[in-house]
Amino acid sequence: MKTKNSLCILGVMGLLLISSCNRGTQQYTDTPTSGEISISADETFKPILSAETEVFQALYTYAKINVTYKTETEALNDLLKDSVRLVIASRPLSNEEKDFFNKKKFYPKEVKIAIDGIALITNKENTDTMMSVKTFRKILIGQLTSWKQINPKSKLQETTVIFDNMNSSTVRFMLDSVCRGSKISDKHAALKSNAEVINYVANNKNAIGVIGVSWISDKDDSTMLSFLKKVNIVALSSDSIATAQNSYQPYQAYIAKGYYPFTRNIYAINSEPRVGLATGFAGFVASERGQRIILKTGILPATQPLRIIEVKNDL
């Protein structure tokens, strides 16, 4: 009788162990090319991610990537809260953020996937289409407040800089790389997206918009072409005075050669503790095919070679 009871107990324990193991293996249902995940991305990079997810899901029909676009701060907070395992952002994790993950035995992987440009756009009625970084800095911090201070012949009035969001990566770039310790003037404003910035500038002749280059760079995208028809793209100069010879628009070749001053890296940050769909998608974006997609969006891929042809006019 004791033997039967012992066998019965062992049988139940075996079933519980099998059940427990099954639950452990079922908590992950995705693979590198199948399943469904959510990721968070800086809204500035929406054109890039939309193109990448479209191709990835066409290749791997059992995969579904749900991208939520938000500010960079919000996206990175999602990663810290473990709401998502993959984030696309314009900066790597800070040492404090890495320590936070490491204490939990997580070791996030950071992959540089592209070099982005930040574009300045103006209204079609604005004839000032060149500007030095020094001049734009003075506008940002409130030292220059009218277009006549920049160009006495200008018929425009107060300068107003419009951002996509006050917590966006473009604002952080301006604070870190342009303002250099000074504050952005309170007279400038922010909306909710890059598309809203473009439309605002198109309808307000005094405004300067700050947007991601990919929003106006893909010549095969009808939406991007319609945006380009609405605004001017400012040519920027690193010299004190902007001229036609030292000012550059944010084209891929000028970003690649370092002529265009407002550039930054884009990273895929993956905290997935296994090889799942987040790892598979991040790997795809960094692959040759994914890099070619980035090349098409108008920004500079991190690894795909860019062929630059210089045409010289011999007089």
Side-chain angles (χ1 to χ4, degrees):
M1 196 71 176
K2 287 182 180 180
T3 304
K4 287 184 179 180
N5 287 338
S6 298
L7 289 173
C8 187
I9 292 169
L10 288 172
V12 171
M13 290 176 65
L15 288 172
L16 288 172
L17 182 61
I18 293 170
S19 176
S20 175
C21 290
N22 286 339
R23 282 198 301 272
T25 57
Q26 287 174 358
Q27 63 176 318
Y28 299 116
T29 59
D30 60 289
T31 73
T33 56
S34 68
E36 182 172 358
I37 59 166
S38 294
I39 71 174
S40 293
D42 186 327
E43 190 267 342
T44 308
F45 310 133
K46 185 174 181 179
I48 305 164
L49 267 294
S50 295
E52 294 283 2
T53 53
E54 182 180 351
V55 175
F56 184 83
Q57 290 171 159
L59 288 171
Y60 306 107
T61 55
Y62 292 105
K64 176 66 174 174
I65 311 290
N66 300 309
V67 187
T68 302
Y69 298 102
K70 48 185 63 180
T71 69
E72 182 175 77
T73 301
E74 291 170 334
L76 288 168
N77 282 340
D78 285 347
L79 195 74
L80 292 169
K81 293 185 296 185
D82 202 27
S83 300
V84 298
R85 293 290 174 84
L86 180 63
V87 159
I88 308 298
S90 69
R91 70 167 178 85
L93 294 174
S94 66
N95 289 333
E96 292 77 13
E97 289 165 339
K98 289 178 181 178
D99 289 341
F100 173 83
F101 281 109
N102 293 345
K103 287 175 182 177
K104 293 186 171 186
K105 305 300 181 183
F106 279 78
Y107 303 95
K109 297 170 285 293
E110 300 168 340
V111 179
K112 177 181 169 183
I113 59 172
I115 302 171
D116 181 38
I118 297 176
L120 302 186
I121 56 173
T122 56
N123 186 273
K124 282 292 186 182
E125 291 187 38
N126 192 336
T127 57
D128 292 310
T129 55
M130 294 182 298
M131 186 178 294
S132 70
V133 173
K134 181 179 179 180
T135 296
F136 184 62
R137 179 179 185 273
K138 289 182 177 180
I139 295 171
L140 270 182
I141 64 178
Q143 290 182 356
L144 293 176
T145 58
S146 75
W147 285 102
K148 285 189 179 296
Q149 289 177 291
I150 301 164
N151 177 7
K153 296 180 180 179
S154 178
K155 296 179 181 179
L156 303 180
Q157 300 171 355
E158 252 189 38
T159 55
T160 304
V161 180
I162 305 297
F163 294 97
D164 52 335
N165 189 294
M166 286 312 294
N167 291 316
S168 73
S169 58
T170 53
V171 172
R172 183 177 60 79
F173 176 89
M174 292 301 164
L175 285 168
D176 294 346
S177 303
V178 182
C179 293
R180 301 191 306 276
S182 297
K183 293 182 179 180
I184 293 174
S185 171
D186 292 337
K187 67 185 290 294
H188 303 314
L191 302 175
K192 294 181 180 179
S193 69
N194 283 259
E196 287 187 17
V197 173
I198 295 169
N199 289 325
Y200 183 92
V201 172
N203 293 296
N204 293 270
K205 57 187 179 182
N206 295 307
I208 305 172
V210 183
I211 62 171
V213 165
S214 61
W215 281 89
I216 48 172
S217 296
D218 191 346
K219 302 298 189 297
D220 295 330
D221 189 319
S222 59
T223 303
M224 304 304 150
L225 287 175
S226 68
F227 284 155
L228 277 172
K229 292 177 182 178
K230 294 180 177 181
V231 296
N232 296 321
I233 302 174
V234 177
L236 286 172
S237 173
S238 297
D239 294 338
S240 297
I241 299 173
T243 67
Q245 289 71 38
N246 65 19
S247 301
Y248 301 92
Q249 289 184 317
Y251 298 141
Q252 284 170 323
Y254 296 147
I255 292 174
K257 288 199 163 188
Y259 297 158
Y260 188 73
F262 289 172
T263 61
R264 60 191 179 166
N265 297 327
I266 304 177
Y267 299 90
I269 307 173
N270 176 17
S271 66
E272 192 173 54
R274 50 185 282 279
V275 180
L277 188 52
T279 302
F281 180 65
F284 171 78
V285 175
S287 72
E288 181 181 354
R289 188 158 192 172
Q291 292 288 286
R292 287 189 180 278
I293 294 170
I294 287 175
L295 184 66
K296 182 179 174 294
T297 65
I299 65 172
L300 195 66
T303 59
Q304 185 67 29
L306 180 66
R307 187 183 179 194
I308 300 173
I309 301 174
E310 291 189 11
V311 179
K312 295 182 179 179
N313 293 323
D314 295 323
L315 297 178

